Amino acid sequence: MKIDPIRRIEELRTIIQEHDYNYFVLANPIVSDFTYDQLLKELIELEKKYPEYLTPDSPTQRVGSDISNEFDSVNHKIPMLSLSNTYSEDELIDFDRRVRDFAGEATTPDYICELKIDGVSISLQYENGILKTAATRGDGIIGEDVTNNIKTIRSIPLSVNKKFLKEFGSFNFEVRGEVYMENEDFKKMNDERELNGEKLFANPRNSTAGTIKLLDSKIVAKRPIKAFMYYYYSEYTKIGSQLENLLMLKKLGFRINANYKHCKTINDVIVFCKEWEERRNEIPFEIDGVVIKVNSINLQQNLGSIAKSPRWAVAYKFKAKQASTLLKKITWQVGRTGTLTPVAELEPIFLAGSTISRATLHNFDEIKRKDIREGDSVVIEKGGDVIPKVVSVDVSKRNKNLTETELPIRCPTCGSKLFKPENEVAIYCDNNFCPDQIKGRLIHFASRGAMDIEGLGESLINLFTEMKFLKDFADIYDLKNKRNELIEIERLGEKSVDNLLNAIDKSKNQQFEKVLFSLGIRYVGSGAAKKLAEHFISIDNLISATKEEIEGIYEIGPSISSSIIRFFKSKDNLKLIERLKKAGLNFNTSIAKGVNKFNGKSFVLTGTLSILTRDEAKEKIIYFGGKVSSSVSKLTDYVVVGENPGSKLDKAVKLGLKILTEEEFIEMIK
Ligand code: IVH
């Protein structure tokens, strides 16, 4: 008997959807991975053969596509609010009092407590039961369209079970929830990244946020992100309470976190909060608190919201996670400007999603105040994404032989004598040629907000400085003459060397303000660099400027001006600038001055550009006084179209906007 392909396709979709639900929502798989893979493979092949039957809700659409994601803006139908925080029992009691006062004596409000998952919030729009759009929170009003990436999360139904349609009235609805990564998965992923020399994520939340904003959803599909949903909204479905809301989500096939509780009184709420503050380590993912929601939707609506947070819900935030460990050694790190920062080298310990082996000690005054000594047992803390810090010392465990920590006299790296300005807590290494300062300056120079040399990160800079390829910024631009030697380095190889050399070459297009910032002049941050570049137009003007002239610029004060004067007094620095000029870096803003040809004009970029990168195109537009916006509207002046443009092009055509090819755009920026 011949199988009808379309029926088989539909059948396979239903079966796979069912298996996804069992595995990812219920955590109760009923078939082996092998069987599952076979089914998926069969479906992929059938869809390849009959592409006309491919639908956006097919399970094959979860693997990610080759099309580079463009993050269009999405207007949230209902603003995505944030929660106000509470940190104590008293504040929870105040919250309850406010709700009660509002509700009046006749009503006794009850609450639903849910775990506050430490991830990234998302909003899903379903139309006719099919997932149409997934968006990030953004600023709460406008988010980014991350649909292709969210589709890779298997617990999120691409379409909901049609059998409930009658009961729900309509399948046009919105669902909100949290995307997150489990601690073990995060650790594994970071270990792999470390092995590959890639940048590590600080915690599971950061890595989730980074993942859902990746341009390539094929990579997203390989990352272990998960989701819990906590909110269902439809203007067609009447829901009486948050409890019903959660049950509704469950019924529709969404994954909800089972550790919620219906609390009749604020005391029950407090007990729940305390309980989970104690138990937070028992679950495989990070939670940073409890969310308390008024249960009655009616009362929720009456309470409404103030500014950015609702009056009907509040977050109870846990205290930062702490742990005790041994402080093995205090080392001193030399920064690019010579500042020495004490670092606690710790017996490694797992805390809040990652293993911690170092923590900052801020400065010497802090060490003295807390009397921190090598060999002490210390309490460390990690709150949110901040660098872990040493909170206190457990003096009861202190061995009598431990000696007080002393201020170093010489730089631990170069051995030169340190100095401590009278009014500052910091101590400095004053040797400009200190290897750590050199490394620090090079890292800053190549970093993203500066010359943005892709691939030239900390580990390569360490290697190149140790191998004496790099001593100063200008050496970076001489690396192209050492191509053969670089290829010989075991870790590198031809392809990565060429990529690096290309990235170095590309960095020569960075604007003057970026170049100025990259020089790493003390106190000259990106904002000051911009102001200086705009005012002085060229480096030569800045070099010959007096202290008074520099201070004449709005918001530029005496610390910045003295630092600039000191920097350009140095013959070495002037020589360095000459070499960078020869290498072809921009030391001039004059081309852009007075040529504000895009003044007030709004541009939208769509599709893949082949000559320029998106960032380059954006920079050029801004350079000439224009604006770049992410969505097309009547107010758009130009739409620059690359290969495989998205829906923005259709919209632009409909609105009759001016459309430019990449070549035409390049003509305009010459
Ligand atoms: S309710 C107005 N419930 O916490 C209601 N939020 O600022 C807002 N979150 O952005 C959300 N778990 O990302 C809610 N069970 C939960 C949550 C939760 C985590 C996050 C969410 C939101 C932030 C609150």
Side-chain angles (χ1 to χ4, degrees):
M1 197 181 71
K2 206 169 171 301
I3 303 172
D4 178 358
I6 180 158
R7 290 200 51 190
R8 179 63 181 156
I9 286 178
E10 277 170 358
E11 180 185 42
L12 281 166
R13 282 180 191 159
T14 315
I15 298 172
I16 293 169
Q17 198 173 348
E18 194 70 34
H19 289 325
D20 276 344
Y21 178 73
N22 287 327
Y23 189 103
F24 295 102
V25 178
L26 303 180
N28 184 23
I30 52 171
V31 289
S32 67
D33 287 1
F34 178 76
T35 313
Y36 179 91
D37 290 344
Q38 290 297 315
L39 293 166
L40 194 64
K41 214 164 117 197
E42 188 186 343
L43 180 60
I44 293 172
E45 269 157 25
L46 277 173
E47 285 179 350
K48 231 190 237 158
K49 212 158 147 197
Y50 303 99
E52 64 275 28
Y53 298 140
L54 190 69
T55 58
D57 63 330
S58 168
T60 56
Q61 299 308 292
R62 291 192 188 275
V63 290
S65 73
D66 281 333
I67 305 165
S68 170
N69 281 322
E70 270 186 47
F71 299 124
D72 280 335
S73 314
V74 176
N75 280 311
H76 294 303
K77 286 195 177 147
I78 313 159
M80 285 183 85
L81 303 174
S82 51
L83 295 169
S84 43
N85 293 329
T86 59
Y87 297 92
S88 66
E89 243 177 86
D90 286 351
E91 283 180 278
L92 286 176
I93 291 169
D94 285 347
F95 166 70
D96 177 54
R97 191 170 303 126
R98 285 195 302 273
V99 173
R100 280 160 173 284
D101 285 351
F102 195 91
E105 282 194 0
T107 351
T108 319
D110 52 340
Y111 300 102
I112 297 295
C113 291
E114 294 166 23
L115 300 186
K116 189 169 182 300
I117 321 289
D118 197 6
V120 176
S121 50
I122 47 153
S123 146
L124 313 173
Q125 292 286 348
Y126 284 78
E127 280 174 27
N128 294 321
I130 293 176
L131 173 63
K132 261 271 148 18
T133 320
T136 60
R137 179 171 178 275
D139 62 2
I141 306 293
I142 299 175
E144 278 181 308
D145 185 333
V146 287
T147 315
N148 290 337
N149 290 349
I150 293 301
K151 274 185 167 178
T152 66
I153 305 173
R154 308 260 170 159
S155 68
I156 293 180
L158 299 181
S159 56
V160 292
N161 199 331
K162 303 275 188 305
K163 72 178 182 204
F164 297 117
L165 180 57
K166 224 171 172 182
E167 186 183 333
F168 279 73
S170 154
F171 268 166
N172 292 335
F173 59 86
E174 179 174 351
V175 169
R176 288 184 181 171
E178 198 82 356
V179 183
Y180 68 98
M181 214 175 258
E182 290 193 352
N183 294 334
E184 273 305 311
D185 287 335
F186 162 74
K187 228 175 119 210
K188 233 191 279 164
M189 193 186 88
N190 244 2
D191 288 348
E192 268 169 36
R193 291 176 74 86
E194 191 166 16
L195 275 180
N196 296 333
E198 291 167 305
K199 201 167 175 282
L200 299 188
F201 287 111
N203 55 40
R205 175 162 42 81
N206 283 1
S207 91
T208 308
T211 300
I212 65 165
K213 298 279 278 288
L214 281 173
L215 293 178
D216 184 348
S217 37
K218 277 211 164 124
I219 303 179
V220 181
K222 292 196 187 110
R223 296 260 183 99
I225 50 173
K226 299 194 166 173
F228 281 125
M229 295 297 138
Y230 50 71
Y231 176 86
Y232 169 93
Y233 176 79
S234 165
E235 54 185 304
Y236 307 98
T237 320
K238 191 130 185 48
I239 297 179
S241 68
Q242 172 62 13
L243 185 61
E244 271 178 46
N245 198 315
L246 289 173
L247 298 176
M248 194 89 116
L249 286 167
K250 203 167 159 185
K251 190 165 186 173
L252 277 173
F254 290 95
R255 183 164 175 258
I256 63 165
N257 185 268
N259 296 312
Y260 63 85
K261 190 164 185 193
H262 185 186
C263 294
K264 296 270 173 12
T265 66
I266 197 69
N267 278 337
D268 290 354
V269 169
I270 293 167
V271 170
F272 184 86
C273 292
K274 296 265 141 103
E275 178 192 335
W276 277 100
E277 183 145 24
E278 287 295 311
R279 290 181 60 192
R280 62 196 289 204
N281 287 331
E282 289 175 21
I283 44 178
F285 49 88
E286 287 298 316
I287 53 175
D288 59 341
V290 170
V291 182
I292 300 109
K293 300 175 182 174
V294 166
N295 192 25
S296 152
I297 303 283
N298 212 349
L299 184 51
Q300 283 188 8
Q301 279 165 353
N302 288 339
L303 280 157
S305 47
I306 20 157
K308 282 190 171 165
S309 37
R311 285 200 198 86
W312 51 265
V314 80
Y316 172 79
K317 293 277 274 188
F318 295 154
K319 278 168 213 74
K321 270 193 182 176
Q322 294 192 335
S324 278
T325 190
L326 171 74
L327 167 60
K328 294 194 294 193
K329 201 171 163 35
I330 295 174
T331 52
W332 294 83
Q333 222 168 37
V334 187
R336 66 183 166 90
T337 55
T339 324
L340 262 77
T341 312
V343 177
E345 307 286 346
L346 307 164
E347 187 62 45
I349 183 158
F350 192 74
L351 176 68
S354 59
T355 302
I356 294 167
S357 49
R358 311 180 89 198
T360 176
L361 290 166
H362 300 292
N363 52 49
F364 187 65
D365 282 14
E366 172 107 351
I367 295 180
K368 284 281 111 178
R369 203 154 32 79
K370 294 181 179 158
D371 188 17
I372 301 169
R373 305 180 186 192
E374 286 182 345
D376 265 333
S377 164
V378 290
V379 176
I380 54 163
E381 180 176 292
K382 194 177 157 195
D385 50 3
V386 292
I387 310 162
K389 61 179 182 198
V390 173
V391 187
S392 58
V393 176
D394 187 349
V395 189
S396 67
K397 289 195 189 144
R398 177 175 283 167
N399 182 320
K400 281 197 192 71
N401 307 331
L402 300 189
T403 50
E404 265 182 57
T405 304
E406 286 184 19
L407 195 65
I409 297 167
R410 292 191 173 277
C411 170
T413 309
C414 68
S416 67
K417 234 175 155 198
L418 298 171
F419 85 105
K420 186 172 189 303
E422 241 173 61
N423 304 323
E424 288 190 38
V425 281
I427 41 170
Y428 293 94
C429 160
D430 209 17
N431 169 16
N432 228 2
F433 298 99
C434 169
D436 274 1
Q437 283 194 49
I438 293 175
K439 277 183 198 166
R441 284 199 294 268
L442 287 165
I443 291 168
H444 167 76
F445 185 86
S447 68
R448 206 177 259 162
M451 296 306 280
D452 195 10
I453 305 178
E454 209 181 313
L456 192 57
E458 190 169 342
S459 60
L460 263 198
I461 287 175
N462 284 341
L463 185 73
F464 287 173
T465 44
E466 272 143 35
M467 295 181 81
K468 306 270 185 290
F469 284 125
L470 294 182
K471 286 184 306 305
D472 56 38
F473 309 143
D475 291 342
I476 295 176
Y477 297 92
D478 290 338
L479 282 177
K480 60 176 188 292
N481 305 327
K482 306 212 164 71
R483 185 175 175 276
N484 291 341
E485 290 161 76
L486 296 178
I487 289 171
E488 290 305 309
I489 300 174
E490 207 180 309
R491 270 176 45 192
L492 290 178
E494 199 155 342
K495 193 158 169 249
S496 52
V497 168
D498 285 338
N499 285 343
L500 177 67
L501 294 177
N502 281 336
I504 292 173
D505 207 47
K506 208 176 94 187
S507 76
K508 292 179 189 168
N509 296 328
Q510 287 294 72
Q511 296 168 27
F512 174 39
E513 63 177 70
K514 293 273 169 74
V515 178
L516 188 55
F517 170 59
S518 308
L519 294 177
I521 305 171
R522 188 178 292 171
Y523 307 128
V524 178
S526 55
K530 190 170 163 56
K531 289 194 184 100
L532 292 162
E534 275 168 7
H535 183 91
F536 288 105
I537 298 169
S538 75
I539 193 104
D540 298 326
N541 289 341
L542 180 60
I543 293 173
S544 55
T546 63
K547 199 166 178 315
E548 291 68 35
E549 270 179 90
I550 300 174
E551 280 170 38
I553 304 174
Y554 180 63
E555 282 182 350
I556 302 275
S559 328
I560 302 182
S561 64
S562 326
S563 170
I564 293 171
I565 300 280
R566 199 174 329 123
F567 185 87
F568 292 121
K569 241 191 195 152
S570 146
K571 289 223 169 58
D572 290 324
N573 287 340
L574 293 177
K575 259 193 235 152
L576 187 66
I577 285 162
E578 280 312 308
R579 281 176 63 207
L580 290 174
K581 272 186 187 170
K582 275 211 186 93
L585 272 64
N586 276 327
F587 280 102
N588 219 310
T589 335
S590 57
I591 328 145
K593 273 276 157 180
V595 199
N596 277 345
K597 52 182 169 188
F598 294 162
N599 217 356
K601 296 278 186 249
S602 160
F603 283 73
V604 170
L605 305 167
T606 179
T608 319
L609 302 181
S610 47
I611 305 162
L612 299 170
T613 65
R614 225 156 226 260
D615 281 342
E616 282 165 356
K618 275 186 190 168
E619 280 193 1
K620 287 286 179 198
I621 293 166
I622 295 164
Y623 190 64
F624 288 119
K627 271 191 318 203
V628 184
S629 115
S630 58
S631 58
V632 171
S633 78
K634 282 194 305 245
L635 303 175
T636 311
D637 293 291
Y638 297 102
V639 179
V640 181
V641 180
E643 273 172 53
N644 298 324
S647 57
K648 292 176 191 171
L649 176 60
D650 304 336
K651 199 164 169 194
V653 174
K654 257 190 220 143
L655 291 170
L657 304 176
K658 177 94 187 117
I659 293 163
L660 301 171
T661 61
E662 186 175 2
E663 285 73 14
E664 285 169 328
F665 173 68
I666 289 171
E667 274 308 306
M668 287 172 75
I669 56 174
K670 268 187 181 160

